Amino acid sequence: MVGTTVAIALAAALVAISGVLVQTGFTGQDETGMLTALAGSFGGTVLLAAILVVTSTVGLALRGRQRDFSLLRAVGTTRRQVREIVAAEVLVALIAIPVGAVLGMTGSVFLQPLLTASGLLPTGGGLAFGVLPVAGALITMVPAAGLAAALATRKILASQPSQAVKQGGAESRALGRWRGIAAVVMAVVGLGSALSPLFVSGTLGGASAATSAFLLVGAAALAGPALVSWSFGRLPTGNTPATQLAVANTKGFSRRLTSAMLPLALVLAAGTVQTSLNLTIERAAERQLVEGLEGILILPGEADPTAFSRTPGVTAVSSIRSVPAHVKVDQDEPPILESLTWEPTTVHLTSELSDPGITSGTLADLDQPDTVAISQDATLETGGIGSEVEIRYGEVDTTATVVAVFDRGLGFGDYIIGPATVDSQNLAPDRDAVLLRASQGDETAVAADTGALTPAEYAAHAPDENGAQRLSQVLLLTLLSFFVIAAANTLLMITSRRRGEFAMLHRVGATRRLLLRMGLVEAAITGVVAWLIGTVASIPAILGSNLGLLGWAIPALDVSTFGLLSVVALILPLLIMAPITFVIARTRSTTPRSE
C-alpha cells in the first residue's frame, strides 16, 4: 500500500498545484487572465495524466492481491465482503489525497516569483488558496481509484471460487469486452484529434493534435495485455535460458508489463510532444514574420523612423507599433468566470510595409475609427467580418467592428488596428521596430549603414520566450517529474513483490546468476516496449501539429528532448529492477508463500 499511497499523493499534489493557479486566475480578474488560461490548459493535462497513473497503480496493487482474494473466496468469503475489503483498503490509500493536496498547495508558493517576474501575476499580488484545490483532487482521484478497484476485482468476483484459486498464477491475456471497446474508442479519438489540423487551422488545431499522444498511450495501456501477448508470441524466445525465462514471463504476465510501461511511455510522449509543439509554433511564427516582411529591413527598438527617411537607398520608412489591451472572447460566461472572458493580448498598428496575409476584407477599412482586423485563430472566439469585438485599453472599454481577417497571426499578433482608432481612443502605442524599404540593389548598403536586420535575422533575434512560455516549461518539468517518480514507484512495486516467484525458480534449479540475467532482460524489454509505445504515440501528434502550423514541411522534432527522455525510458527500468532482482536473488532463505 505504500507505493499506491505515494502515487495517489503525488497525483493529488499535482492536481492541487493546477487548482491553486486556476483559483488565483479567477480571483485576479483581468490582471491574471493569461494565468487562468495557461493553468486551465495545464490542469486538463494534469487531470488526464493523474487519472491514468492512479488507475494503473491501484489496479496493479490489487492484481498483486489476486491470490489472497481467491483464497478468501474459496473459504467462503462472499462477493460483498470482498468488495468491502477492497473498498476499505482503497479508502485507506485515499487518505493520501488531502495530504498530497496540502503539500501541493504549499509547494506552489515556489512558483510565485516566476509568476510575478513573467507578468502573469501582478506585482505585490499573491496566490489564492482555498478549498478548490483539495476538492478538485478529491473529485478527481476518488472516482478514478474506485473505478480501477472495481475493474481489478471484477474477474475474481465473476468466477467460481475454485476457478479463482487456479487463476492466481499467470495473468489472463484476454481483454474484457468493455476494456477492448474502451481501447478502440480511445485510439480512434486520439487519431481523430491528431487529424484535427485538417479541419481547424492555426494554433488551436495544433494544440488539439498534441493531446492525441495521451489518448494513444491510454489506448495502448488498455489494450496492452493483448498487444504484448500477440507480439511476443511471434518473436523468437532466444537461445539463452535467461532470455527464454524473460520472454515467458513477459507473455505470462502481460498486464504487469503494461502497468510498468505506462508511466515510462507518458514521460517520453508528453515531453517530446510538448517541446516539439513549442518548436513548431516558434518556426511557424518565424516563417510568417519572414513572409510578411519580405524585402524589408528591420531596426529593433524605439528609434525615430524619420531619422532614416533621408538615408541613401531608403525608399520608404514605417514602424511596428503596439498597444497592450484585453479582448473579451466570450459574451456568455457567468460573472464568476469574468477573468476568462477578458484575454490579455497585444494590439498592433497597421503598417504599409508589412503584409499580415489578408484572407478576407481589406486593411484599407482600418482608416475608420473603432475597426479591427483579426487573425483566423481569433475568429474562433470573436467571429468573422462584421462581428463586433470588445477591447479594453487600460480602463477604457470600446467596441470595434471586424473589417478584415488575416492568416499570419503568429507573426503579427491576433489584432491589428489603424491610426484612426489610435486617435479616437487617445492611445500611446509603443514603437517595437522601424521598417525600411531599400531600392533594388541597395539592400546590403542600407543594412550596413543603419545596422538593420533582414526579416530572417530579426525573427532569429526575437525574444526567445515570454513569461507564459517560461511558466509552461516549469509546469512541464513538474509533470515529467511526476511521471518519472510514478514510473520508478511502479517498477519498485512490481519487482519487489516477485520474491516468491524468484524463490520458486531457485528451488527448481535456477541459479542466482540466471535470475539476475533474467531480471536484466525483463528490464530491457520493459524499457524498449515503453520507448516504442511512447514514440509511436508521439508521431501522430507531431505530424498533426506540424501540418496545422507549418503545412507540408519537415516535422519540427525536439531531438534533444526526445533523446534525453528516450534514455530515461530505457535506463530507468534497469536502474530500478536490476538492484532489487539482485537482492532477491541473493536471499536464499526466501521461500514462496503457501499455495
Tab-separated table of all heavy atoms in Angstrom, residues 28-57:
chain	number	residue	atom	x	y	z
A	28	GLY	N	-8.057	37.036	-9.631
A	28	GLY	CA	-7.271	38.186	-10.049
A	28	GLY	C	-7.902	39.018	-11.131
A	28	GLY	O	-7.365	40.045	-11.516
A	29	GLN	N	-9.044	38.596	-11.657
A	29	GLN	CA	-9.764	39.326	-12.703
A	29	GLN	C	-8.863	39.523	-13.920
A	29	GLN	O	-8.106	38.644	-14.300
A	29	GLN	CB	-10.299	40.641	-12.168
A	29	GLN	CG	-11.258	40.472	-10.988
A	29	GLN	CD	-12.450	39.588	-11.314
A	29	GLN	OE1	-13.006	39.639	-12.410
A	29	GLN	NE2	-12.848	38.754	-10.366
A	30	ASP	N	-8.894	40.716	-14.546
A	30	ASP	CA	-8.212	40.932	-15.812
A	30	ASP	C	-6.703	40.723	-15.715
A	30	ASP	O	-6.065	40.263	-16.658
A	30	ASP	CB	-8.478	42.356	-16.330
A	30	ASP	CG	-9.950	42.579	-16.641
A	30	ASP	OD1	-10.686	41.585	-16.685
A	30	ASP	OD2	-10.337	43.739	-16.840
A	31	GLU	N	-6.106	41.081	-14.579
A	31	GLU	CA	-4.661	41.039	-14.461
A	31	GLU	C	-4.102	39.624	-14.550
A	31	GLU	O	-2.913	39.440	-14.814
A	31	GLU	CB	-4.218	41.671	-13.136
A	31	GLU	CG	-4.484	43.171	-13.028
A	31	GLU	CD	-5.930	43.475	-12.658
A	31	GLU	OE1	-6.689	42.504	-12.450
A	31	GLU	OE2	-6.287	44.656	-12.584
A	32	THR	N	-4.921	38.618	-14.305
A	32	THR	CA	-4.431	37.243	-14.311
A	32	THR	C	-5.172	36.390	-15.337
A	32	THR	O	-5.238	35.180	-15.203
A	32	THR	CB	-4.586	36.617	-12.915
A	32	THR	OG1	-5.960	36.736	-12.495
A	32	THR	CG2	-3.695	37.302	-11.910
A	33	GLY	N	-5.709	37.030	-16.361
A	33	GLY	CA	-6.450	36.269	-17.359
A	33	GLY	C	-5.589	35.258	-18.089
A	33	GLY	O	-6.008	34.122	-18.329
A	34	MET	N	-4.347	35.648	-18.449
A	34	MET	CA	-3.462	34.709	-19.129
A	34	MET	C	-3.070	33.563	-18.209
A	34	MET	O	-2.938	32.417	-18.639
A	34	MET	CB	-2.213	35.444	-19.627
A	34	MET	CG	-1.244	34.555	-20.399
A	34	MET	SD	-2.016	33.789	-21.857
A	34	MET	CE	-2.133	35.230	-22.928
A	35	LEU	N	-2.878	33.857	-16.926
A	35	LEU	CA	-2.571	32.795	-15.961
A	35	LEU	C	-3.714	31.794	-15.887
A	35	LEU	O	-3.496	30.585	-15.831
A	35	LEU	CB	-2.297	33.403	-14.586
A	35	LEU	CG	-2.100	32.406	-13.430
A	35	LEU	CD1	-0.908	31.511	-13.701
A	35	LEU	CD2	-1.936	33.148	-12.110
A	36	THR	N	-4.938	32.280	-15.907
A	36	THR	CA	-6.097	31.390	-15.862
A	36	THR	C	-6.131	30.481	-17.074
A	36	THR	O	-6.388	29.272	-16.962
A	36	THR	CB	-7.388	32.214	-15.783
A	36	THR	OG1	-7.314	33.111	-14.683
A	36	THR	CG2	-8.593	31.306	-15.604
A	37	ALA	N	-5.874	31.057	-18.249
A	37	ALA	CA	-5.901	30.260	-19.470
A	37	ALA	C	-4.807	29.186	-19.454
A	37	ALA	O	-5.058	28.019	-19.787
A	37	ALA	CB	-5.733	31.175	-20.682
A	38	LEU	N	-3.592	29.575	-19.055
A	38	LEU	CA	-2.500	28.608	-19.007
A	38	LEU	C	-2.746	27.537	-17.952
A	38	LEU	O	-2.512	26.348	-18.187
A	38	LEU	CB	-1.191	29.334	-18.717
A	38	LEU	CG	-0.600	30.159	-19.856
A	38	LEU	CD1	0.603	30.939	-19.365
A	38	LEU	CD2	-0.221	29.282	-21.022
A	39	ALA	N	-3.222	27.961	-16.778
A	39	ALA	CA	-3.483	26.997	-15.707
A	39	ALA	C	-4.603	26.045	-16.090
A	39	ALA	O	-4.562	24.856	-15.758
A	39	ALA	CB	-3.837	27.735	-14.418
A	40	GLY	N	-5.611	26.553	-16.801
A	40	GLY	CA	-6.689	25.680	-17.242
A	40	GLY	C	-6.209	24.630	-18.219
A	40	GLY	O	-6.582	23.453	-18.144
A	41	SER	N	-5.341	25.041	-19.149
A	41	SER	CA	-4.785	24.082	-20.100
A	41	SER	C	-3.914	23.049	-19.401
A	41	SER	O	-4.008	21.845	-19.657
A	41	SER	CB	-3.969	24.834	-21.159
A	41	SER	OG	-3.335	23.938	-22.041
A	42	PHE	N	-3.065	23.527	-18.485
A	42	PHE	CA	-2.219	22.614	-17.725
A	42	PHE	C	-3.052	21.686	-16.853
A	42	PHE	O	-2.760	20.493	-16.724
A	42	PHE	CB	-1.259	23.429	-16.865
A	42	PHE	CG	-0.415	22.607	-15.930
A	42	PHE	CD1	0.585	21.785	-16.408
A	42	PHE	CD2	-0.626	22.657	-14.556
A	42	PHE	CE1	1.367	21.033	-15.544
A	42	PHE	CE2	0.151	21.915	-13.682
A	42	PHE	CZ	1.143	21.093	-14.186
A	43	GLY	N	-4.125	22.238	-16.260
A	43	GLY	CA	-4.978	21.425	-15.410
A	43	GLY	C	-5.639	20.282	-16.155
A	43	GLY	O	-5.762	19.169	-15.628
A	44	GLY	N	-6.063	20.530	-17.396
A	44	GLY	CA	-6.658	19.450	-18.181
A	44	GLY	C	-5.673	18.330	-18.445
A	44	GLY	O	-6.012	17.139	-18.342
A	45	THR	N	-4.428	18.695	-18.766
A	45	THR	CA	-3.396	17.684	-18.973
A	45	THR	C	-3.101	16.929	-17.687
A	45	THR	O	-2.937	15.701	-17.689
A	45	THR	CB	-2.113	18.346	-19.492
A	45	THR	OG1	-2.403	19.062	-20.694
A	45	THR	CG2	-1.036	17.316	-19.773
A	46	VAL	N	-3.043	17.650	-16.576
A	46	VAL	CA	-2.762	17.029	-15.280
A	46	VAL	C	-3.853	16.034	-14.908
A	46	VAL	O	-3.567	14.923	-14.433
A	46	VAL	CB	-2.610	18.112	-14.198
A	46	VAL	CG1	-2.711	17.503	-12.803
A	46	VAL	CG2	-1.281	18.820	-14.357
A	47	LEU	N	-5.101	16.421	-15.107
A	47	LEU	CA	-6.204	15.521	-14.747
A	47	LEU	C	-6.117	14.218	-15.534
A	47	LEU	O	-6.269	13.124	-14.977
A	47	LEU	CB	-7.542	16.210	-15.014
A	47	LEU	CG	-7.908	17.361	-14.074
A	47	LEU	CD1	-9.241	17.958	-14.470
A	47	LEU	CD2	-7.945	16.884	-12.628
A	48	LEU	N	-5.870	14.325	-16.835
A	48	LEU	CA	-5.769	13.121	-17.655
A	48	LEU	C	-4.591	12.267	-17.211
A	48	LEU	O	-4.716	11.043	-17.071
A	48	LEU	CB	-5.631	13.512	-19.133
A	48	LEU	CG	-5.537	12.364	-20.144
A	48	LEU	CD1	-6.752	11.458	-20.043
A	48	LEU	CD2	-5.383	12.900	-21.554
A	49	ALA	N	-3.442	12.901	-16.972
A	49	ALA	CA	-2.256	12.151	-16.557
A	49	ALA	C	-2.452	11.517	-15.186
A	49	ALA	O	-2.081	10.351	-14.963
A	49	ALA	CB	-1.049	13.089	-16.535
A	50	ALA	N	-3.046	12.271	-14.249
A	50	ALA	CA	-3.245	11.743	-12.902
A	50	ALA	C	-4.196	10.544	-12.910
A	50	ALA	O	-3.966	9.550	-12.217
A	50	ALA	CB	-3.785	12.839	-11.981
A	51	ILE	N	-5.256	10.648	-13.706
A	51	ILE	CA	-6.205	9.534	-13.781
A	51	ILE	C	-5.534	8.288	-14.350
A	51	ILE	O	-5.724	7.166	-13.846
A	51	ILE	CB	-7.426	9.944	-14.625
A	51	ILE	CG1	-8.271	10.973	-13.859
A	51	ILE	CG2	-8.271	8.734	-14.989
A	51	ILE	CD1	-9.398	11.557	-14.670
A	52	LEU	N	-4.733	8.453	-15.403
A	52	LEU	CA	-4.045	7.305	-15.996
A	52	LEU	C	-3.110	6.645	-14.988
A	52	LEU	O	-3.081	5.419	-14.841
A	52	LEU	CB	-3.262	7.750	-17.235
A	52	LEU	CG	-4.076	8.080	-18.486
A	52	LEU	CD1	-3.165	8.626	-19.578
A	52	LEU	CD2	-4.812	6.847	-18.992
A	53	VAL	N	-2.320	7.451	-14.273
A	53	VAL	CA	-1.343	6.900	-13.338
A	53	VAL	C	-2.024	6.272	-12.129
A	53	VAL	O	-1.657	5.173	-11.692
A	53	VAL	CB	-0.357	7.999	-12.894
A	53	VAL	CG1	0.527	7.504	-11.754
A	53	VAL	CG2	0.508	8.437	-14.066
A	54	VAL	N	-3.033	6.941	-11.581
A	54	VAL	CA	-3.699	6.421	-10.381
A	54	VAL	C	-4.443	5.124	-10.682
A	54	VAL	O	-4.353	4.146	-9.925
A	54	VAL	CB	-4.646	7.487	-9.794
A	54	VAL	CG1	-5.547	6.869	-8.726
A	54	VAL	CG2	-3.844	8.617	-9.188
A	55	THR	N	-5.186	5.103	-11.777
A	55	THR	CA	-5.915	3.870	-12.111
A	55	THR	C	-4.952	2.719	-12.371
A	55	THR	O	-5.204	1.581	-11.960
A	55	THR	CB	-6.797	4.097	-13.347
A	55	THR	OG1	-5.994	4.622	-14.429
A	55	THR	CG2	-7.917	5.063	-13.059
A	56	SER	N	-3.831	3.017	-13.037
A	56	SER	CA	-2.848	1.966	-13.290
A	56	SER	C	-2.228	1.463	-11.994
A	56	SER	O	-2.077	0.247	-11.789
A	56	SER	CB	-1.757	2.496	-14.223
A	56	SER	OG	-0.723	1.542	-14.384
A	57	THR	N	-1.895	2.354	-11.066
A	57	THR	CA	-1.239	1.961	-9.819
A	57	THR	C	-2.184	1.185	-8.913
A	57	THR	O	-1.809	0.155	-8.332
A	57	THR	CB	-0.709	3.206	-9.084
A	57	THR	OG1	0.148	3.943	-9.952
A	57	THR	CG2	0.056	2.812	-7.845
